[in-house]
Amino acid sequence: MRIYKNEMCPPNLHFERGNQVHAPEPYNKHTFVYISPTGTVCLGKDQWTLTLIQWTNMCSHLTDDLDQPSFPTSSCTSCAKEDKAFFEAYTGLPATPTNIKQALDAKVVKTCKQLEDVPTTQGGRPKKNGNHNKKNNNKPATVTPATANKRKCIVPSINAIEKDVIERLGEVKAEDISSDVALTQLAGLMRLKDMTAVHFLSDNKKMKMVFTLCQSCNSHRACKMVSNLSPFCRDCQLANGKEKQLQRKREENLSERTAASSTTPLTHLTKEELKLRGKAMKRQHDIIAIRLKRALATKDELLNKMSPGMKTNVENSFHFANENTGLVHDQVSKVLREIIQKENTTLGGKVLLEEDCEPIVEMIIDEIRNQCRVFNNQKTQCKYSSSLVGLAMSLFLQSGPAAYEQFRRDSVMIYPSSSYLKSLKYRQDTKDGKSVSQYEDQLKLRDSPEEIGQLIVDEMKLKKDVVINVKSGAVVGLTDDFISQTKIIKTWLDKDKPNDMVEPATHVNQWQYRSITGRTFNCEFFYNAGSLSGNALLEQFTRVVVNCELVGSKVFGLVCDAGGNNARLMNLLRRSGTGFPNMAWVEEEDDVRTVNPFDPSRFIYLFFCSTHDLKNVRGALFKSEPGGKRELLDAEGNHIDKSILVECLSRDLDRLRRGAKPMTTLQESTIKLDRWSKMNVEEAKRICAQKTLAEIANYLYCRLGFPADDGRLLERNHGRVGYWPAVALHLKAKLGEKKSIGNKSCDEANVLASAISSFEWIANMHEIFTNRLMNMEMKINGGNIDSFEAEIIKNLNYFHDLWTAQQKRKELLQKGDKSWQKDFLASETWRNLRMTCRGFFGYCRYVIQYAASHRDTIKFTGVSPAHSNSSVIEAWFSLVRMARQDDGARYLAYATNRQMVNAQNALKKNRNKMYCEDDVGDVSTGKDVGIPELIKFKKDREMRKDSLIKGYEKNRVRESTIQTDKFSMTAEEASLPGSSNQEQEVLRILTTLKLPNGYMARLTELATFHQWVRLCLDNNDVGQWFDELFRLTSTQEGSIQFNAGCRAIQDKLLQLAARCMRNRTDNNTSFEAAAHNFYKSEEFDVMCGDNLPGNLGKSHPGCVLLGLMLAELLVKWLALALRMFRQTINPELFRKKQNALTSAEENNEVNSFLGWSIFSATKKFVNADEKGSETECKELLRTMSISEADADEAYLATYYDTNMSMLNHGGLTLVSKEFFEWGKLTMQSIRDAFTMDHIKSAPRSCFNDRKKYVLQNKSIRSSFFISCQSSPLSFSAKTISTVYDIIVPKMIHARFAVVFRQWKQLHCRKHEVSLRTKLKATVKDDKKRAATNQHADESVVNNKMAKIT
């Protein structure tokens, strides 16, 4: 290391001051330089052999004897060894006196004495001369000629740098300029010389070029010389533009982001915005606090003014109201009706119907009674109306317990407590996946015995979260329902290491039912991890249809969006394996409907969401341009594009500039779509709105030279239905007249022909969507469905003519030329449009026919066009997001919330422009029934179900006499030709399994069986089927016949499963689809009728339930057989890992978990009396613990580990010696009972099952009793049992939580945000692409640095 005076640093030198690293005297007064080879860039500090502080310490320890230098060992032997090691590492030579002397002579090291003649630095500047005064202190020091020459030698001149750059640019290819090492070094020298660019000529000497440096980053580039050349590279330009755009949006939405009611997360706000948000929230809180103080002051003032007599009158009034409930009700109703009549007269119209008074009257009366109860200190006796409980539950779920309690304290009205709402929430008994609680509610909420309607299904993205409900032991937020059989087979047969099929939920697939009266309710919902398949959807569909039918909600239609899995579901439901017919109006209804699996005599019509279809058709129009990805043509070959809309918007903007009113609702965002606005349904509606078509038609008539009144005459002859397509045809005829007389040039005629063709496209869009499928002002009934259907057929024929023309152009092209595909809609969009129109009108006609034949039970006025879209379920999702319940743990509780009437407003409040609140239509939930009443209703039905099953268990035949096989066929009979050896082995294992207790005993163990028994208690048909099933299987003969019938069905299902296993790589073959079609077939009815005993085979709904339960058993048995097969060939995959704890770790767990349990349990007996069992429990807990001060040496040595001693500062509870061995035994059992493998094998029930396993361990309980009754301890058995039942569950919960948190950390990491969040965050740049580019740039920079090094 050499020493220099302070001067400019070249790229191969690194300067560092001694005082900055706290070097010893006199090294701290000097500046040091690290030198790397000339022409390179200096290495970083982490690559130096020695740091400056290490080098200075080593040099300071050298003796001043320059003849025999050494490192003395008199002061510190370890320091001398360290110095010698430093010297050897620095020089590569041993630290002998000879080598040290050579290093001193070569000036590689410097002693303290050698530094005396070297000038020092002061604060990094040259030493001041005596003639410097204060005014000149900041002037630069004079540079001597010698210093200047040295600087020139170190850093080349500007001319030399320019020459080197130009020479190097001539040697390097254009694509390698940014990564060239030599140019990177020259760019560094240019920055030292404050150079920004080097101008040069291109290779052909014709173009001026420039080599420029980016002023923001370290990049450089060579480009053409232009006058407005940016000083930044392209990446920096994009970053700066994006930052400016985000900043502009922040400023535009500042008031919304900082409002007290804003939903913008606090993590997305800047410091200034957080201050503004805090001020707004404080202002709002102060206003509410002032109002509350005034109300409380008024209340206190009134109470103080009340005399004892008045208080007595209040109490008497309260007793009178309780004794004369009807009289009070009539009086309040009378007063309320008088107020309504007065208001109606004042306002000139009805503001409230008299029949709507009843809920208000009930709420007023309950509030008066509750106020009297609170006044008399009887808060616990308050009763609440069903509407008030529903409102309180909604607030509680959205805001949380703390915020709800604050609202409850600030409110003038009396609301139920959060603890009461928690108990209601827990008792609602709603589960994700297979659950019938939601359907059972409809038996209480529905006004009529039955209803008809449709199913809606859609998927919403969730935030990953998994929690354990300690009371029920259930793990919430996992996906393990309806995993397709193909996935199970592929996992166990085709993968080297089977992965987890149960994962944290990232999506929820919600099903809804909507009746023709608008009554809407949530059906079952199923979590998934983003891998939902069409086969799983088909199985969900079958179950949801069956459950709806069981409670009287008849399913006549299914609507969903056209996503990949939903399209796959539609293909599986309609004609299996057939394509969609190529005709405008599908004549065969089987192409748009499927047989109802519950009742084969009825059908379910299938159609896609009209909102999605509108945006898809609009998207095709906007993508159309000459030479583009899509180039739409009409039957005559005229171009169809959005140019007429662009011109229409331009004319409107011109009107605005002139101060006139715009004629249309078009906006710039309607035409210039970005990633967010192209999903906006309002923007899609504007292009085919009535005003837009009128303005364009008027403009086209003017261009043609005809008065627009000619178009108005069409309305008299044609009417409003189909008016705009007729106008388009009239315009075409007028253009033909102009051409025939030669009044229009060829180019002008082509432009007008293209404009009219585009107008005709938009006019037909208007008729299909705006005038029919999205016209909420009319309802479809028997009087108008024929005319509506005829007009829709005309509109579809227009598109079909375009398709026919496309096919003709295809025939004229050469084979392999696919340019014809651009001329029309994409095949999927064309199929979806026809399926939506045909399926929806088929659904309407089917509903009209059924309602006409069931007038006594069905109230029918018409079918709303809202049934053609899925906006109602999107409204529900918006409500969930607005309430921030969109994660796997909280969605479960919120799904039971019946606030569907608020979902329509949620679309607007949540600013979800993908759907329109007007398209939702009328929404209701049925009768106003409170949550407590529903809970009591379901509890009574649960008791009835348990009583029925327990009675059967008591009377049925004993198991040992009805042992049977699971299948009657062998593996060879079930396998297909060409099956592999492993497939045959799996089938062999499966067919050799036995049922020791018969099929009925196995069915009663299924949760599905219990759910359907409970759901069918009041169903005449299926309820009788279950009664007969219990009666027949109570005897030995009936059980044998029932087993034979089940085996016949299972044999058929086994054959379907074997075919699925054999063709598991074929996406068109699935067990779910085959089983679904089997349940609807005549073969299934015949098989059940011939093999099931009694009348069981005559009820198709009952047989379908039996088939679904048998299929569920088959999937479980197949998974077991696959696991057994894999265990025989790969036993190492199933071996448990043996990870024994050390003695110190065992002691630590005992003191941690048992000690905490004792400490927590002690709190239960803080207020224990001096005498009694609680005092004895408190004494036992005190005996089980010991303080650190009371522990002897033996305890500290045996049971007290060092980690605990470091943590314990007097606040930790230690376990006494008498109970420590019992604690070790218990903790060992708890650790073995719950591991990661248990979570993987049974994720939903693992917590509850393993907890029961530990609590049922008699050895732990008996050891605890022995420890408590060993001399000198003698506690009673009741006390020991009470303490045991408290502390052991606490130990289990605490230790299980460690494993669960570890599993959650591995599986519940943050995942990609939802689509709406992406679209709102940026509309021009893709986040994922930007992240990838940034990662790639960092990799390039790292590679460059590696090359330079």
Side-chain angles (χ1 to χ4, degrees):
M1 188 173 285
R2 300 170 60 188
I3 304 172
Y4 283 81
K5 292 185 179 180
N6 189 30
E7 46 196 333
M8 182 178 291
C9 179
N12 66 321
L13 302 182
H14 174 77
F15 284 77
E16 194 167 7
R17 300 185 183 93
N19 59 349
Q20 290 182 344
V21 299
H22 305 289
E25 290 281 352
Y27 298 91
N28 58 350
K29 300 177 182 179
H30 296 270
T31 300
F32 302 84
V33 183
Y34 186 92
I35 307 174
S36 62
T38 306
T40 63
V41 178
C42 185
L43 299 174
K45 293 182 181 181
D46 56 341
Q47 295 177 305
W48 294 0
T49 307
L50 293 182
T51 60
L52 180 58
I53 186 62
Q54 292 174 338
W55 184 84
T56 53
N57 286 334
M58 177 189 69
C59 293
S60 64
H61 294 159
L62 283 171
T63 59
D64 294 334
D65 187 3
L66 300 181
D67 294 331
Q68 291 291 328
S70 62
F71 296 103
T73 58
S74 56
S75 58
C76 180
T77 305
S78 60
C79 292
K81 292 181 179 180
E82 186 180 28
D83 293 334
K84 291 179 180 179
F86 284 161
F87 181 87
E88 185 174 349
Y90 189 66
T91 62
L93 300 173
T96 61
T98 303
N99 292 337
I100 295 173
K101 189 175 185 306
Q102 291 178 0
L104 289 171
D105 294 340
K107 299 183 180 180
V108 175
V109 295
K110 289 282 186 178
T111 63
C112 298
K113 188 175 181 180
Q114 288 177 325
L115 289 179
E116 292 178 357
D117 299 332
V118 179
T120 61
T121 60
Q122 296 183 359
R125 295 187 178 89
K127 195 171 182 179
K128 295 179 182 179
N129 296 327
N131 58 354
H132 283 190
N133 52 30
K134 292 184 179 180
K135 293 182 180 180
N136 296 327
N137 281 349
N138 295 328
K139 294 182 179 180
T142 304
V143 180
T144 62
T147 305
N149 292 335
K150 179 178 289 187
R151 189 173 300 174
K152 289 180 181 179
C153 295
I154 294 175
V155 181
S157 63
I158 293 177
N159 293 334
I161 293 175
E162 289 180 347
K163 181 180 178 182
D164 293 343
V165 169
I166 294 173
E167 289 179 357
R168 186 58 183 168
L169 287 172
E171 301 171 356
V172 180
K173 296 180 180 179
E175 58 269 17
D176 297 334
I177 290 176
S178 59
S179 59
D180 187 67
V181 177
L183 287 176
T184 303
Q185 296 174 0
L186 290 170
L189 295 175
M190 289 175 63
R191 288 188 172 86
L192 291 175
K193 287 291 187 178
D194 295 330
M195 298 169 61
T196 58
V198 174
H199 299 270
F200 63 98
L201 294 175
S202 60
D203 294 339
N204 53 12
K205 308 294 183 181
K206 294 182 180 181
M207 187 182 298
K208 292 182 179 181
M209 305 288 290
V210 61
F211 177 79
T212 181
L213 309 179
C214 178
Q215 296 183 9
S216 178
C217 63
N218 294 326
S219 63
H220 53 272
R221 69 190 190 279
C223 56
K224 181 181 177 182
M225 181 59 194
V226 292
S227 58
N228 58 345
L229 183 64
S230 174
F232 302 103
C233 64
R234 179 171 179 80
D235 292 340
C236 294
Q237 290 180 49
L238 293 175
N240 295 337
K242 182 179 178 181
E243 187 64 31
K244 290 179 181 178
Q245 184 182 10
L246 293 176
Q247 184 63 28
R248 186 176 66 254
K249 285 189 175 182
R250 280 179 176 272
E251 294 173 358
E252 292 175 355
N253 302 324
L254 181 63
S255 58
E256 297 180 3
R257 292 167 61 85
T258 58
S261 59
S262 174
T263 58
T264 304
L266 297 178
T267 55
H268 295 176
L269 301 179
T270 61
K271 290 183 179 180
E272 292 74 14
E273 290 174 338
L274 283 172
K275 291 180 181 178
L276 294 175
R277 173 80 73 85
K279 290 180 181 179
M281 295 178 69
K282 186 176 184 302
R283 192 183 307 114
Q284 186 182 32
H285 182 272
D286 293 342
I287 293 172
I288 296 174
I290 291 172
R291 292 176 181 174
L292 180 62
K293 287 181 181 179
R294 290 175 182 173
L296 293 176
T298 304
K299 179 181 177 182
D300 295 338
E301 184 179 356
L302 292 175
L303 290 175
N304 294 332
K305 290 181 179 179
M306 289 179 64
S307 61
M310 292 181 65
K311 294 182 179 179
T312 304
N313 292 335
V314 170
E315 294 178 359
N316 294 335
S317 301
F318 174 66
H319 294 306
F320 176 80
N322 285 334
E323 295 173 358
N324 301 275
T325 305
L327 180 61
V328 174
H329 182 276
D330 296 340
Q331 293 296 325
V332 174
S333 301
K334 180 180 178 181
V335 173
L336 189 59
R337 288 192 179 93
E338 292 176 357
I339 295 173
I340 291 172
Q341 292 175 358
K342 183 178 179 181
E343 289 295 326
N344 290 346
T345 304
T346 304
L347 298 176
K350 281 193 174 184
V351 294
L352 186 66
L353 298 175
E354 291 189 3
E355 52 265 26
D356 295 333
C357 296
E358 192 61 30
I360 303 176
V361 171
E362 294 294 338
M363 187 174 66
I364 293 174
I365 295 175
D366 288 341
E367 180 62 25
I368 294 173
R369 289 173 177 169
N370 290 338
Q371 292 286 357
C372 294
R373 292 186 180 103
V374 173
F375 181 78
N376 289 286
N377 295 324
Q378 298 176 358
K379 294 182 180 180
T380 56
Q381 298 182 12
C382 290
K383 297 181 180 179
Y384 309 97
S385 63
S386 59
S387 58
L388 189 66
V389 172
L391 173 62
M393 179 63 76
S394 179
L395 291 172
F396 174 76
L397 292 174
Q398 295 183 32
S399 59
Y404 175 78
E405 284 297 330
Q406 179 67 32
F407 162 79
R408 184 167 168 261
R409 288 193 296 268
D410 296 345
S411 176
V412 178
M413 294 183 63
I414 299 175
Y415 286 87
S417 64
S418 58
S419 59
Y420 175 70
L421 296 177
K422 280 182 183 178
S423 64
L424 291 181
K425 171 186 168 184
Y426 174 69
R427 288 185 289 160
Q428 284 189 76
D429 190 32
T430 300
K431 302 178 180 64
D432 62 296
K434 299 174 183 177
S435 174
V436 298
S437 177
Q438 301 93 315
Y439 305 99
E440 208 168 24
D441 292 344
Q442 311 315 311
L443 298 173
K444 196 75 172 173
L445 297 173
R446 196 172 54 230
D447 297 324
S448 57
E450 67 175 15
E451 60 186 349
I452 56 177
Q454 64 177 174
L455 285 177
I456 312 169
V457 60
D458 202 358
E459 191 176 54
M460 181 180 72
K461 194 160 191 176
L462 298 174
K463 302 168 186 174
K464 281 187 181 179
D465 193 16
V466 182
V467 297
I468 295 179
N469 187 333
V470 178
K471 290 186 177 180
S472 64
V475 181
V476 182
L478 293 175
T479 82
D480 66 342
D481 281 315
F482 295 113
I483 300 172
S484 66
Q485 194 180 92
T486 304
K487 181 178 179 181
I488 297 174
I489 294 171
K490 286 183 177 180
T491 299
W492 287 104
L493 288 185
D494 301 337
K495 293 187 178 181
D496 295 334
K497 185 176 181 181
N499 56 352
D500 298 333
M501 286 180 286
V502 179
E503 303 174 84
T506 59
H507 296 76
V508 60
N509 199 56
Q510 177 70 63
W511 293 80
Q512 273 186 358
Y513 181 87
R514 181 174 191 165
S515 71
I516 57 174
T517 61
R519 204 183 77 86
T520 308
F521 64 88
N522 285 330
C523 302
E524 291 165 285
F525 57 94
F526 305 92
Y527 289 147
N528 66 83
S531 57
L532 184 65
S533 64
N535 297 324
L537 273 174
L538 178 61
E539 196 171 354
Q540 293 178 15
F541 167 80
T542 306
R543 180 179 172 86
V544 173
V545 169
V546 167
N547 288 337
C548 288
E549 295 279 352
L550 285 174
V551 296
S553 298
K554 299 185 180 299
V555 181
F556 281 37
L558 170 66
V559 60
C560 60
D561 60 32
N565 295 322
N566 293 335
R568 168 70 173 160
L569 171 64
M570 292 294 194
N571 289 333
L572 291 173
L573 286 174
R574 60 187 193 84
R575 286 184 175 181
S576 179
T578 60
F580 203 75
N582 291 319
M583 57 181 66
W585 187 259
V586 180
E587 298 294 339
E588 186 62 44
E589 287 194 327
D590 287 340
D591 289 308
V592 292
R593 70 183 184 183
T594 185
V595 175
N596 191 321
F598 185 83
D599 184 1
S601 64
R602 290 193 281 112
F603 296 96
I604 298 175
Y605 282 80
L606 315 169
F607 46 96
F608 293 110
C609 174
S610 58
T611 303
H612 290 79
D613 288 337
L614 170 63
K615 290 187 282 190
N616 289 335
V617 176
R618 186 274 312 267
L621 175 66
F622 275 43
K623 289 179 181 178
S624 176
E625 57 183 2
K629 292 183 178 180
R630 195 158 296 280
E631 189 175 357
L632 301 178
L633 301 176
D634 67 356
E636 291 79 22
N638 299 315
H639 287 281
I640 300 174
D641 53 30
K642 65 175 181 179
S643 58
I644 57 168
L645 296 171
V646 176
E647 295 171 2
C648 179
L649 175 63
S650 177
R651 293 192 293 271
D652 258 356
L653 295 177
D654 183 62
R655 294 186 185 98
L656 286 173
R657 284 192 293 268
R658 292 185 283 105
K661 173 181 172 293
M663 305 297 292
T664 71
T665 58
L666 293 180
Q667 299 176 3
E668 190 173 356
S669 59
T670 309
I671 307 301
K672 297 180 180 180
L673 298 179
D674 51 40
R675 293 182 64 219
W676 172 244
S677 62
K678 75 177 181 182
M679 305 298 294
N680 189 340
V681 68
E682 291 290 351
E683 304 288 6
K685 285 183 174 181
R686 287 192 180 109
I687 68 169
C688 54
Q690 187 101 346
K691 292 183 178 180
T692 305
L693 292 169
E695 200 279 343
I696 297 175
N698 180 58
Y699 169 75
L700 292 175
Y701 274 114
C702 293
R703 285 285 302 272
L704 289 171
F706 291 97
D709 290 341
D710 290 355
R712 292 191 58 189
L713 294 175
L714 296 172
E715 185 176 352
R716 300 177 187 175
N717 302 327
H718 197 279
R720 300 301 301 175
V721 177
Y723 170 66
W724 293 112
V727 170
L729 294 176
H730 187 250
L731 286 169
K732 282 188 174 183
K734 292 295 182 182
L735 179 61
E737 293 178 11
K738 288 290 184 181
K739 286 183 178 180
S740 62
I741 60 178
N743 286 352
K744 293 290 181 182
S745 64
C746 183
D747 292 340
E748 186 180 1
N750 291 336
V751 172
L752 282 173
S754 176
I756 294 173
S757 297
S758 302
F759 175 80
E760 187 177 15
W761 178 286
I762 299 173
N764 282 278
M765 284 179 60
H766 169 83
E767 290 298 321
I768 294 176
F769 297 105
T770 308
N771 235 15
R772 292 292 166 267
L773 300 181
M774 293 184 173
N775 186 4
M776 302 302 158
E777 296 178 358
M778 59 89 176
K779 285 191 174 182
I780 302 174
N781 51 43
N784 57 22
I785 188 172
D786 291 333
S787 60
F788 288 167
E789 192 174 278
E791 192 60 34
I792 283 284
I793 293 174
K794 289 182 182 180
N795 303 133
L796 290 177
N797 280 330
Y798 161 76
F799 287 103
H800 186 261
D801 291 341
L802 302 188
W803 177 83
T804 304
Q806 180 199 44
Q807 299 304 310
K808 291 180 179 179
R809 286 189 290 269
K810 174 185 175 183
E811 295 174 358
L812 299 177
L813 296 174
Q814 294 181 359
K815 187 175 182 181
D817 188 352
K818 297 184 179 181
S819 59
W820 60 272
Q821 295 180 350
K822 304 190 299 181
D823 299 348
F824 186 57
L825 294 170
S827 59
E828 295 82 3
T829 305
W830 175 226
R831 178 204 63 194
N832 296 345
L833 178 62
R834 291 177 294 151
M835 191 169 178
T836 297
C837 297
R838 183 66 179 92
F840 175 66
F841 277 94
Y843 163 75
C844 294
R845 191 175 294 278
Y846 196 49
V847 167
I848 292 169
Q849 294 173 356
Y850 186 87
S853 60
H854 295 76
R855 293 179 180 176
D856 298 336
T857 57
I858 302 296
K859 298 179 182 179
F860 179 74
T861 58
V863 180
S864 170
H867 284 241
S868 70
N869 61 64
S870 59
S871 296
V872 64
I873 198 170
E874 288 293 340
W876 164 252
F877 288 156
S878 294
L879 183 65
V880 171
R881 295 188 192 97
M882 189 171 65
R884 299 182 182 179
Q885 304 293 310
D886 53 338
D887 63 53
R890 288 185 286 185
Y891 185 85
L892 175 64
Y894 199 70
T896 61
N897 186 13
R898 293 183 290 109
Q899 298 293 327
M900 288 299 301
V901 291
N902 297 330
Q904 187 173 8
N905 295 329
L907 279 178
K908 185 175 182 180
K909 292 181 180 179
N910 205 31
R911 294 183 291 179
N912 182 2
K913 298 299 183 183
M914 291 186 177
Y915 299 85
C916 178
E917 61 269 18
D918 296 334
D919 296 340
V920 175
D922 298 330
V923 177
S924 64
T925 56
K927 293 190 295 185
D928 186 15
V929 180
I931 297 177
E933 188 176 351
L934 280 177
I935 292 173
K936 184 178 183 302
F937 171 72
K938 289 189 285 190
K939 187 176 180 180
D940 292 342
R941 293 177 64 86
E942 180 71 17
M943 293 175 63
R944 288 173 57 190
K945 182 263 298 181
D946 292 340
S947 176
L948 184 63
I949 294 180
K950 287 179 181 178
Y952 164 74
E953 291 287 345
K954 187 180 297 184
N955 299 325
R956 72 183 178 93
V957 67
R958 293 301 91 196
E959 295 85 348
S960 59
T961 60
I962 55 172
Q963 182 174 354
T964 183
D965 295 326
K966 290 184 178 180
F967 305 94
S968 58
M969 62 170 50
T970 62
E972 290 75 15
E973 295 172 341
S975 60
L976 298 175
S979 298
S980 63
N981 293 333
Q982 59 179 4
E983 294 166 2
Q984 293 179 359
E985 179 63 19
V986 171
L987 292 175
R988 187 195 63 78
I989 296 174
L990 188 60
T991 53
T992 54
L993 298 176
K994 299 287 185 180
L995 267 180
N997 302 327
Y999 267 97
M1000 188 59 186
R1002 189 66 183 89
L1003 290 176
T1004 55
E1005 297 175 1
L1006 290 177
T1008 308
F1009 180 84
H1010 288 255
Q1011 291 175 355
W1012 277 333
V1013 170
R1014 175 175 158 183
L1015 203 60
C1016 299
L1017 288 173
D1018 299 325
N1019 188 295
N1020 294 330
D1021 185 13
V1022 188
Q1024 293 176 1
W1025 185 86
F1026 274 109
D1027 291 338
E1028 186 168 5
L1029 175 64
F1030 288 135
R1031 181 180 60 81
L1032 290 173
T1033 54
S1034 297
T1035 63
Q1036 183 173 354
E1037 182 181 359
S1039 296
I1040 294 174
Q1041 294 180 4
F1042 180 72
N1043 288 335
C1046 290
R1047 277 199 303 273
I1049 299 173
Q1050 281 287 36
D1051 288 344
K1052 179 63 178 179
L1053 294 176
L1054 179 62
Q1055 290 177 346
L1056 300 179
R1059 185 177 295 110
C1060 173
M1061 186 186 306
R1062 177 70 181 86
N1063 303 317
R1064 58 183 177 276
T1065 57
D1066 184 7
N1067 294 328
N1068 295 323
T1069 303
S1070 70
F1071 173 78
E1072 291 77 15
H1076 177 82
N1077 294 326
F1078 173 59
Y1079 301 143
K1080 298 185 298 183
S1081 65
E1082 184 178 354
E1083 178 188 2
F1084 178 70
D1085 293 334
V1086 173
M1087 184 179 295
C1088 293
D1090 294 344
N1091 294 281
L1092 292 177
N1095 295 322
L1096 292 180
K1098 297 180 181 179
S1099 172
H1100 180 81
C1103 293
V1104 169
L1105 297 184
L1106 177 61
L1108 291 173
M1109 288 185 287
L1110 293 176
E1112 183 179 347
L1113 288 177
L1114 177 64
V1115 172
K1116 291 184 177 181
W1117 295 339
L1118 179 61
L1120 176 61
L1122 288 166
R1123 184 182 180 89
M1124 294 171 64
F1125 166 73
R1126 194 61 185 269
Q1127 194 167 4
T1128 57
I1129 62 174
N1130 299 110
E1132 64 277 359
L1133 291 177
F1134 303 90
R1135 290 174 183 167
K1136 292 185 178 180
K1137 297 180 180 179
Q1138 301 294 333
N1139 296 322
L1141 273 64
T1142 63
S1143 178
E1145 290 170 341
E1146 286 186 349
N1147 295 342
N1148 184 284
E1149 288 209 352
V1150 172
N1151 280 321
S1152 297
F1153 296 106
L1154 179 54
W1156 172 82
S1157 301
I1158 296 170
F1159 172 77
S1160 179
T1162 306
K1163 296 179 182 178
K1164 292 182 174 290
F1165 307 104
V1166 171
N1167 300 322
D1169 299 332
E1170 295 182 359
K1171 296 181 181 180
S1173 59
E1174 290 189 354
T1175 304
E1176 192 174 359
C1177 292
K1178 185 177 180 180
E1179 179 64 23
L1180 175 56
L1181 291 171
R1182 189 192 62 79
T1183 306
M1184 295 179 66
S1185 62
I1186 185 175
S1187 63
E1188 186 180 12
D1190 297 335
D1192 54 14
E1193 293 295 333
Y1195 181 90
L1196 296 176
T1198 307
Y1199 304 120
Y1200 201 45
D1201 63 290
T1202 55
N1203 182 65
M1204 184 65 70
S1205 64
M1206 295 294 291
L1207 285 175
N1208 192 3
H1209 296 283
L1212 299 181
T1213 302
L1214 303 180
V1215 181
S1216 62
K1217 182 169 58 176
E1218 293 78 9
F1219 292 90
F1220 209 96
E1221 294 300 328
W1222 173 82
K1224 280 188 176 183
L1225 174 65
T1226 306
M1227 290 307 304
Q1228 180 64 42
S1229 300
I1230 295 174
R1231 280 195 302 272
D1232 295 340
F1234 192 73
T1235 62
M1236 300 275 279
D1237 294 333
H1238 292 104
I1239 300 179
K1240 292 178 182 179
S1241 60
R1244 287 185 179 274
S1245 60
C1246 60
F1247 185 89
N1248 209 23
D1249 294 343
R1250 306 315 295 175
K1251 178 182 175 181
K1252 290 180 180 178
Y1253 173 78
V1254 176
L1255 292 177
Q1256 292 172 358
N1257 192 332
K1258 296 181 179 179
S1259 62
I1260 299 175
R1261 192 178 190 90
S1262 61
S1263 299
F1264 184 72
F1265 270 75
I1266 293 172
S1267 301
C1268 293
Q1269 293 179 340
S1270 299
S1271 180
L1273 305 178
S1274 59
F1275 293 98
S1276 64
K1278 181 180 178 181
T1279 300
I1280 298 172
S1281 181
T1282 302
V1283 173
Y1284 180 88
D1285 293 339
I1286 294 175
I1287 62 172
V1288 174
K1290 289 181 177 292
M1291 295 168 65
I1292 294 172
H1293 294 167
R1295 188 60 181 83
F1296 281 12
V1298 174
V1299 181
F1300 183 73
R1301 281 194 295 268
Q1302 182 185 2
W1303 181 89
K1304 188 174 177 180
Q1305 185 177 10
L1306 293 174
H1307 294 82
C1308 295
R1309 298 171 182 171
K1310 290 184 179 180
H1311 62 292
E1312 193 178 7
V1313 296
S1314 64
L1315 173 63
R1316 289 168 178 80
T1317 307
K1318 277 188 174 181
L1319 298 180
K1320 288 181 179 179
T1322 173
V1323 296
K1324 292 184 178 180
D1325 299 321
D1326 189 2
K1327 280 187 172 182
K1328 189 174 181 180
R1329 186 181 304 168
T1332 305
N1333 292 340
Q1334 181 181 2
H1335 179 70
D1337 292 343
E1338 292 174 356
S1339 301
V1340 171
V1341 172
N1342 294 335
N1343 293 336
K1344 288 181 180 179
M1345 293 302 297
K1347 292 179 180 179
I1348 293 171
T1349 303

